[in-house]
Amino acid sequence: MLNINSITETITMIQKEKLDIRTITMGISLLDCQDTDGNKSRQKIYEKINKYGENLVKVGEELEQEFGIPIINKRIAVTPISLVAGSSMDEDYIEYGKVLDRAAQEVGVNFIGGFSALVHKGYTKGDEILIKSIPHVLKETERVCASVNVGSTKAGINMKAVKEMGEIIKKTAILTQNRDSIGCAKLVVFANSVEDNPFMAGAYHGAGEPEAVINVGVSGPGVVKSAIEKLKGNSIDMVAETIKRTAFKITRAGQLIGNEASKRLGIPFGILDLSLAPTPDIGDSVARILEEIGLESCGAHGTTAALALLNDAVKKGGIMASSHVGGLSGAFIPVSEDEGMIEAVKIGSLTFDKLEAMTSVCSVGLDMIAIPGDTPATTISGIIADEAAIGVINNKTTAVRIIPVIGKDIGDKAIFGGLLGYAPIMGVNKFSCKDFINRLGRIPAPVHSFKN
Amino acid sequence: MEAIVSVIGKDKKGIIARVSTILYKRNINIMDISQTILKEYFTMIMITDLSEMTVSFSELAEELDNLGAEIGVSIRIQHQDIFDAMHNIDKE
């Protein structure tokens, strides 16, 4: 039987501590939408997304009301478009981007992911065209998110793709410079990308996934922080235990919503992603959790260790609470989307290099970092190569979502708005890695023994 | 279906009476009720049975919300499953 304390705890988590379901993401396979005629293929894509997605938003809103927990985003992820569009005779895929945008608008979702290519070992014709189309698609659409996987633990790192993605990011920044280069906020470069990630901008529906699937992402940095606030002076063991217990409860709420959504939509439940995803709102920050653990400011020495503990405890607590855990599952550290991170950058506590170290123990990578607009493409490629190396060697997902804000420099601020937030421009290393990047080729897959 | 009605806000006369009246009119049974007052903040939790209710869930939620706005407290209704999921490990 429920007691009044449990009931008030849940109500406090939702009302005061911003517990929410961050996203219900429907994955839809578009593999049967291929056609040698691009127009026909796009017609099939539009119809299929509408057929599966038409009730997604409605069901999401129903669940939100009945269970009294906010469901912030309803989204769609599709098969990497390079696999679908590759059969067509088209010479660019901008129209494919536009049809995704129209379909997303029609069903009422705010983002659709899957303008993607997987090129960790090499390019197909479709990959080649898709990657070249990314800057224009991000300029001409509102809701489409793009991602490219450039490395994997089994395949190594494709340095041609690393070089090209540096250029693509730069081009996207230039094409969207009138809005602080916001196009780059919808573009992720991955190593070891996952097929069932419900979070944007990196969501796509992998080739091993079923026809359609419901994946859910939970959140709740505020809840974790409040739980730790009660532990002043206690040992770190207590902190880890408390995070686990809190993650368990949060995840159970997500699992319930996932099962209900799956039942009502008649689409199988895939996975629950138990990430701590911050927003720019006060009280919804991962950085503030780290500070609550005992750091004066996020970025201080000790930050990597505190984040490692947080990330691991979240996973441990969440895994038992859900029948299938997947996606990225851990703590996200997107700078512009986290009020505490923004503050830490402003006061000079959090630097680019510390963020890179943090990505070796957090769930994803260098995320939503604004850098000077005049940063050379090869330097961006160097950043991608470093981040991919961390992922490939450590057998984890890493990513780069970085925004060279055209016309802005250190001391300025980039404003993206909404959940994407705002960020002070951070400095990057001024020395060149051009000759390294221009060698192209592939970094071989790493050895999995002799670990030191 | 069972649902939890929670009322949180400054204590006033007649809160329980007015909430119960709505529930009674809509043919909803109150199975358990508990309340506490912390400083002047009033918290009331009702466990209710909606199986014979005569309106839809969303109409009921709106009616309670309007009453809350009128008397200046927050009144929410939520499916009991979310509380069970979070606090009862044996629940599917």
Side-chain angles (χ1 to χ4, degrees):
Chain A
M1 191 65 193
L2 288 164
N3 65 42
I4 189 163
N5 291 337
S6 308
I7 294 173
T8 30
E9 184 186 43
T10 294
I11 292 172
T12 311
M13 282 180 175
I14 295 170
Q15 289 189 350
K16 281 215 192 108
E17 295 161 7
K18 296 188 163 52
L19 170 62
D20 56 52
I21 305 297
R22 184 49 50 88
T23 180
I24 299 183
T25 303
M26 182 186 286
I28 304 173
S29 168
L30 299 182
L31 285 171
D32 58 354
C33 299
Q34 296 170 338
D35 203 296
T36 44
D37 179 343
N39 286 323
K40 281 192 193 153
S41 169
R42 289 188 287 276
Q43 187 59 30
K44 290 184 207 170
I45 290 175
Y46 186 77
E47 282 163 15
K48 191 160 187 191
I49 293 173
N50 269 289
K51 179 181 147 209
Y52 280 96
E54 63 177 356
N55 289 325
L56 175 63
V57 172
K58 190 182 102 208
V59 166
E61 284 166 0
E62 265 170 36
L63 294 172
E64 193 166 15
Q65 185 177 50
E66 282 176 36
F67 293 93
I69 183 164
I71 300 171
I72 308 294
N73 298 300
K74 295 93 189 169
R75 291 167 168 174
I76 289 177
V78 297
T79 306
I81 289 298
S82 69
L83 300 179
V84 184
S87 317
S88 74
M89 298 300 169
D90 292 14
E91 282 169 7
D92 75 61
Y93 295 159
I94 298 171
E95 288 302 319
Y96 279 89
K98 287 185 179 167
V99 83
L100 292 179
D101 204 37
R102 274 204 307 280
Q105 190 176 6
E106 180 63 32
V107 300
V109 297
N110 60 353
F111 281 124
I112 182 163
F115 198 81
S116 308
L118 311 175
V119 295
H120 35 281
K121 218 149 171 200
Y123 286 53
T124 61
K125 181 200 87 179
D127 297 330
E128 191 103 43
I129 303 176
L130 182 124
I131 291 175
K132 294 229 167 7
S133 307
I134 288 175
H136 287 279
V137 165
L138 294 177
K139 174 178 183 240
E140 288 172 35
T141 62
E142 270 300 308
R143 295 173 161 84
V144 176
C145 293
S147 60
V148 175
N149 192 61
V150 299
S152 83
T153 300
K154 289 238 155 66
I157 303 171
N158 181 348
M159 291 300 286
K160 177 186 172 219
V162 167
K163 174 173 163 65
E164 188 170 8
M165 287 318 293
E167 292 158 2
I168 293 289
I169 289 175
K170 202 66 201 271
K171 214 176 274 175
T172 305
I174 292 168
L175 286 182
T176 55
Q177 60 180 305
N178 58 340
R179 293 174 60 199
D180 276 351
S181 303
I182 196 170
C184 300
K186 295 180 281 179
L187 171 56
V188 188
V189 185
F190 276 113
N192 289 325
S193 70
V194 293
E195 298 198 321
D196 54 8
N197 160 30
F199 285 101
M200 294 297 168
Y204 65 87
H205 185 75
E209 295 286 306
E211 190 64 11
V213 73
I214 292 292
N215 296 323
V216 169
V218 292
S219 187
V223 181
V224 174
K225 179 176 181 285
S226 303
I228 302 175
E229 274 169 16
K230 294 167 196 135
L231 300 176
K232 294 238 184 311
N234 280 290
S235 86
I236 203 76
D237 310 57
M238 277 289 286
V239 173
E241 276 305 310
T242 304
I243 296 170
K244 264 160 66 180
R245 230 172 278 165
T246 311
F248 178 85
K249 290 177 188 166
I250 295 173
T251 308
R252 290 272 290 186
Q255 172 81 18
L256 173 72
I257 296 292
N259 281 337
E260 275 297 321
S262 145
K263 217 188 295 168
R264 291 180 195 199
L265 289 162
I267 288 172
F269 177 61
I271 57 92
L272 191 103
D273 185 318
L274 42 97
S275 291
L276 290 182
T279 70
D281 287 347
I282 303 275
D284 211 13
S285 154
V286 169
R288 299 297 185 201
I289 300 177
L290 303 176
E291 290 167 5
E292 193 58 50
I293 294 177
L295 306 167
E296 184 184 352
S297 171
C298 180
H301 292 295
T303 299
T304 310
L307 180 61
L309 170 141
L310 171 66
N311 204 45
D312 184 60
V314 165
K315 287 180 209 281
K316 284 172 178 161
I319 282 169
M320 185 179 159
S322 171
S323 49
H324 296 284
V325 170
L328 301 165
S329 287
F332 289 163
I333 51 168
V335 175
S336 77
E337 298 174 358
D338 185 308
E339 167 271 321
M341 298 270 173
I342 296 168
E343 187 58 30
V345 173
K346 265 192 214 157
I347 61 172
S349 163
L350 184 58
T351 61
F352 197 94
D353 292 346
K354 189 64 182 177
L355 275 164
E356 184 180 309
M358 289 162 72
T359 64
S360 64
V361 298
C362 81
S363 79
V364 198
L366 293 170
D367 198 10
M368 291 304 287
I369 301 173
I371 59 172
D374 62 359
T375 308
T378 46
T379 299
I380 297 173
S381 295
I383 293 168
I384 295 170
D386 284 345
E387 198 54 31
I390 292 173
V392 166
I393 298 290
N394 295 306
N395 209 356
K396 74 186 287 296
T397 305
T398 49
V400 173
R401 181 164 55 148
I402 205 165
I403 305 108
V405 186
I406 305 299
K408 295 202 171 170
D409 210 336
I410 301 169
D412 297 332
K413 195 164 82 174
I415 298 162
F416 309 116
L419 277 179
L420 298 172
Y422 67 96
I425 310 286
M426 292 180 88
V428 298
N429 194 303
K430 290 279 179 208
F431 294 89
S432 171
C433 59
K434 197 171 93 210
D435 294 345
F436 169 58
I437 296 300
N438 284 336
R439 283 178 187 274
L440 302 175
R442 278 160 50 205
I443 295 181
V447 64
H448 291 295
S449 189
F450 310 103
K451 290 258 184 196
N452 268 307
Chain B
M1 170 181 153
E2 287 167 22
I4 307 280
V5 175
S6 58
V7 182
I8 300 171
K10 274 201 166 172
D11 195 15
K12 287 210 182 75
K13 282 178 202 146
I15 297 180
I16 296 186
R18 298 187 68 176
V19 175
S20 320
T21 306
I22 290 186
L23 299 178
Y24 172 68
K25 274 193 198 152
R26 304 302 175 205
N27 207 25
I28 293 160
N29 189 31
I30 300 172
M31 297 155 66
D32 196 2
I33 181 166
S34 57
Q35 65 162 67
T36 51
I37 296 176
L38 265 178
K39 294 185 186 155
E40 73 249 46
Y41 276 90
F42 171 83
T43 305
M44 178 180 73
I45 309 283
M46 283 173 170
I47 302 180
T48 59
D49 177 4
L50 308 187
S51 55
E52 290 173 12
M53 112 176 125
T54 54
V55 284
S56 73
F57 188 92
S58 59
E59 285 165 327
L60 177 64
E62 201 188 322
E63 211 172 337
L64 291 170
D65 198 46
N66 290 340
L67 174 66
E70 191 193 319
I71 52 183
V73 295
S74 139
I75 308 180
R76 292 161 63 97
I77 179 159
Q78 289 164 273
H79 205 302
Q80 182 172 341
D81 285 359
I82 187 143
F83 301 95
D84 276 330
M86 291 174 76
H87 302 284
N88 184 353
I89 196 170
D90 292 322
K91 202 79 176 183
E92 276 291 305

